[in-house]
């Protein structure tokens, strides 16, 4: 009796269960036990879970796992994204997969809390490269955009000195973690960040970001008012 990752064959309609995750006991307000399944490649599915399937996650932290669609043992493997004590930087990361993917992984923050940053994930061979080091709780919606050379995401950080109020804005960065750009300046102050609390909180936010990998168009939901047409409420926006 636990959430599992299930695939759907669009031709046959078959629904193979890919995982055998154990149940997780969490406080009532933390209900996202196993979420966000994403195909890293044709045979590898990544997902986030608080589960501890093989003893590597005894504290039941939010951890990213992968499972292969052809794995008869249904074994979920954790993705290591935290540097071990004594670790060093190896400056020879290379992109060998034609379609690397991006994900926002949770990491332990300096005060013992959880923060989120953007990583590039390569499946062949398995590699992860950290693209941002904002150390904030609301960085999210990372995805490769149309030119296949840059990663789009939202954040309330101010790495370039263009976002002193820590509004929720769009940023992009290239595959090797350089040439960071702030793409929008639509925030309205208020220190809300990217947490979507609603109109009773000052500022505005962005959520439900989807980038079309072919056309380059991005759609998103926001209660910001960049055109003076949305004084109160959330609307759907699109931009290139």
């Amino acid at each position: 009796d636990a959430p599992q990752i299930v695939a759907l064959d669009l031709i046959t309609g078959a629904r193979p269960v890919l995982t055998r995750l154990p149940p997780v006991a969490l406080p009532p307000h933390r209900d996202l036990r196993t979420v966000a399944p994403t195909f890293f490649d044709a045979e590898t599915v990544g997902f986030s879970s608080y589960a501890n399937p093989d003893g590597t996650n005894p504290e039941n932290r939010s951890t990213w796992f992968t499972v292969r669609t052809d794995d008869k043992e249904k074994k979920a493997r954790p993705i290591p994204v935290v540097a071990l004590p004594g670790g060093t930087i190896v400056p020879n990361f290379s992109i060998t997969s034609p379609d690397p993917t991006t994900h926002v992984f949770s990491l332990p923050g300096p005060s013992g809390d959880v923060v989120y940053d953007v990583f590039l994930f390569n499946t062949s061979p398995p590699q992860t490269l950290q693209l941002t080091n904002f150390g904030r709780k609301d960085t999210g919606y990372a995805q490769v955009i149309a030119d296949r050379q840059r990663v789009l995401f939202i954040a309330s950080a101010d790495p370039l000195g263009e976002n002193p109020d820590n509004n929720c804005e769009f940023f992009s960065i290239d595959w090797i973690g350089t040439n960071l750009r702030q793409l929008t300046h639509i925030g309205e102050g208020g220190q809300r960040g990217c947490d979507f609390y609603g109109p009773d909180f000052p500022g505005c936010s962005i959520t439900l970001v989807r980038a079309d990998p072919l056309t380059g168009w991005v759609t998103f939901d926001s209660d910001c008012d960049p055109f003076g047409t949305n004084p109160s409420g959330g609307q759907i926006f699109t931009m290139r």
Side-chain angles (χ1 to χ4, degrees):
D1 185 17
Q4 306 295 340
I5 302 300
V6 182
L8 171 62
D9 190 311
L10 298 179
I11 298 177
T12 66
R15 291 176 169 84
V17 179
L18 303 183
T19 58
R20 290 196 181 104
L21 300 175
V24 179
L26 292 174
H29 66 284
R30 292 173 62 183
D31 57 349
L32 299 178
R33 291 169 172 81
T34 298
V35 296
T38 304
F39 274 97
F40 285 177
D41 57 31
E43 293 83 25
T44 308
V45 177
F47 61 94
S48 176
S49 179
Y50 288 93
N52 181 26
D54 57 0
T56 59
N57 189 28
E59 298 180 359
N60 294 114
R61 295 180 179 273
S62 177
T63 303
W64 276 86
F65 296 87
T66 61
V67 62
R68 290 187 57 84
T69 57
D70 57 358
D71 188 350
K72 296 181 179 180
E73 297 181 356
K74 303 180 180 181
K75 185 176 181 180
R77 296 170 173 82
I79 300 176
V81 294
V82 179
L84 297 177
T88 59
I89 297 176
V90 179
N92 62 351
F93 181 89
S94 60
I95 299 173
T96 56
S97 171
D99 294 301
T101 57
T102 55
H103 295 277
V104 177
F105 292 126
S106 59
L107 300 168
S111 302
D113 54 350
V114 175
V115 299
Y116 295 88
D117 273 299
V118 179
F119 286 75
L120 187 76
F121 183 76
N122 198 35
T123 57
S124 180
Q127 295 173 304
T128 54
L129 178 66
Q130 185 171 351
L131 300 183
T132 66
N133 189 28
F134 296 161
R136 298 181 67 86
K137 297 181 179 180
D138 54 4
T139 303
Y141 289 107
Q143 46 204 297
V144 178
I145 51 180
D147 62 4
R148 310 299 296 168
Q149 299 296 320
R150 296 189 67 79
V151 176
L152 178 78
F153 60 95
I154 62 172
S156 63
D158 185 26
L160 304 175
E162 300 179 25
N163 192 26
D165 289 333
N166 295 115
N167 291 307
C168 189
E169 304 287 356
F170 279 98
F171 292 81
S172 73
I173 196 169
D174 64 24
W175 277 1
I176 59 173
T178 59
N179 296 317
L180 176 68
R181 303 173 188 168
Q182 182 173 328
L183 303 181
T184 61
H185 299 82
I186 63 176
E188 300 170 3
Q191 303 287 331
R192 188 201 294 184
C194 292
D195 293 323
F196 210 85
Y197 292 120
D200 294 334
F201 290 81
C204 64
S205 192
I206 299 168
T207 187
L208 301 177
V209 179
R210 295 291 182 270
D212 188 316
L214 298 179
T215 66
W217 284 96
V218 177
T219 61
F220 58 96
D221 179 17
S222 178
D223 61 348
C224 297
D225 189 17
F227 306 112
T229 58
N230 184 39
S232 178
Q235 303 292 343
I236 301 297
F237 294 85
T238 185
M239 70 176 183
R240 291 191 66 86

